[in-house]
Amino acid sequence: MQKVFGMSFDPLTLKYNEKGLIPAIAQEESTGDVLMMAWMNAEAVQRTIETGRVTYWSRSRKQFWVKGETSGHVQNLVELRIDCDRDCLLVVVQQAGPACHTNRKSCFYTALKRGEEVEILSPLVTKN
Amino acid sequence: MQKVFGMSFDPLTLKYNEKGLIPAIAQEESTGDVLMMAWMNAEAVQRTIETGRVTYWSRSRKQFWVKGETSGHVQNLVELRIDCDRDCLLVVVQQAGPACHTNRKSCFYTALKRGEEVEILSPLVTKN
């Protein structure tokens, strides 16, 4: 048995909030687009690294949420980055299809323009 | 007295956590780099929009934090975006100098590579 690579990084060295969660921002590698922000617990961080599939913790469903598991709109991990305070993560990803549950590429599809909310991204047309 | 532009957007329509805060991700307009993540309360959102200077709420100092007020490393607001759940903001900015207090361009200067933490950004050399 050969260990492919060692892993000295310990997700428990990150700083979690009082609910044991850390915010994770997903950014698309190819475009630099910020796709979404969701939350991870230490186990989700571990699973994301081990599987290469970005895995969040769903606060509403109180369960692990392998992004795209049901929709197919998976996020393949390219690189995980940690901020200076160790209390926020940036996951650089390859995004399959739209990241947002509204079928838009990014969850940040509403912009303020002259004090008004404007929709700046339309839902993607997906092939059947 | 002429009102320059009306503002119908109400920051109170956003969803704040139990501490009255919403996460705000700062992204540099010109490069797409994700610079940092910090928190705003409704008043900080309002001030950011009104002044064009990105203003957070410092959780440690418990006061408004006009980014760059002391360092000069200000963030000028280009566009404020709201996510689908209205519980996270993306501020697209023009960043003066480094965004991170460590003098690095971005707070996300640590990357996991083969299970090890690697520094991927060095502190900027600033002119005196």
Side-chain angles (χ1 to χ4, degrees):
Chain A
M1 291 273 287
Q2 191 187 0
K3 202 168 175 183
V4 178
F5 58 86
M7 162 120 169
S8 65
F9 172 71
D10 181 356
L12 291 175
T13 62
L14 300 172
K15 287 184 200 153
Y16 300 88
N17 69 10
E18 63 285 354
K19 293 173 182 163
L21 300 175
I22 187 169
I25 303 159
Q27 182 181 34
E28 188 173 54
E29 182 194 27
S30 59
T31 61
D33 287 353
V34 175
L35 301 173
M36 57 183 284
M37 195 281 271
W39 297 80
M40 294 186 184
N41 58 16
E43 174 70 19
V45 175
Q46 185 74 32
R47 292 187 185 197
T48 295
I49 297 167
E50 284 182 358
T51 64
R53 282 281 169 90
V54 179
T55 303
Y56 302 100
W57 177 257
S58 168
R59 295 177 299 170
S60 55
R61 290 182 280 126
K62 300 188 192 313
Q63 62 185 38
F64 291 103
W65 166 30
V66 181
K67 173 71 183 159
E69 199 172 32
T70 52
S71 66
H73 303 150
V74 298
Q75 292 179 338
N76 289 310
L77 182 68
V78 176
E79 191 167 83
L80 187 143
R81 296 182 192 156
I82 304 163
D83 84 340
C84 52
D85 292 330
R86 299 183 74 80
D87 66 357
C88 187
L89 299 175
L90 179 65
V91 286
V92 181
V93 303
Q94 291 174 334
Q95 170 71 52
C100 185
H101 74 288
T102 66
N103 228 35
R104 292 173 177 86
K105 182 175 180 185
S106 164
C107 294
F108 296 96
Y109 59 80
T110 303
L112 271 195
K113 292 186 185 285
R114 298 176 179 272
E116 301 286 343
E117 293 187 28
V118 176
E119 186 181 308
I120 58 172
L121 291 175
S122 299
L124 298 179
V125 177
T126 47
K127 295 166 194 159
N128 291 320
Chain B
M1 291 272 288
Q2 189 189 0
K3 201 168 177 184
V4 178
F5 58 85
M7 161 121 169
S8 65
F9 172 71
D10 180 357
L12 291 175
T13 62
L14 300 172
K15 288 183 199 153
Y16 300 87
N17 69 11
E18 63 286 354
K19 292 173 183 163
L21 301 175
I22 187 169
I25 302 159
Q27 182 180 35
E28 189 173 53
E29 182 194 27
S30 59
T31 62
D33 288 352
V34 175
L35 301 172
M36 58 183 282
M37 194 282 273
W39 296 80
M40 294 185 183
N41 57 17
E43 174 70 19
V45 174
Q46 185 74 31
R47 291 188 185 197
T48 295
I49 297 167
E50 284 182 359
T51 65
R53 282 281 171 90
V54 179
T55 303
Y56 302 101
W57 177 258
S58 169
R59 296 176 300 169
S60 55
R61 290 181 280 124
K62 300 189 193 311
Q63 62 184 39
F64 290 103
W65 166 30
V66 182
K67 173 69 183 161
E69 198 172 34
T70 54
S71 66
H73 302 152
V74 297
Q75 292 178 339
N76 289 310
L77 182 68
V78 177
E79 191 167 85
L80 186 142
R81 297 182 192 157
I82 304 163
D83 83 340
C84 52
D85 292 331
R86 301 183 72 81
D87 66 358
C88 186
L89 299 175
L90 179 66
V91 286
V92 181
V93 303
Q94 290 174 335
Q95 171 69 51
C100 185
H101 73 288
T102 66
N103 228 34
R104 292 173 177 87
K105 182 175 181 185
S106 164
C107 294
F108 297 95
Y109 59 81
T110 303
L112 272 195
K113 293 185 185 286
R114 297 176 179 272
E116 302 286 342
E117 292 186 29
V118 176
E119 187 182 308
I120 57 172
L121 292 175
S122 299
L124 297 179
V125 177
T126 47
K127 295 165 194 159
N128 290 317

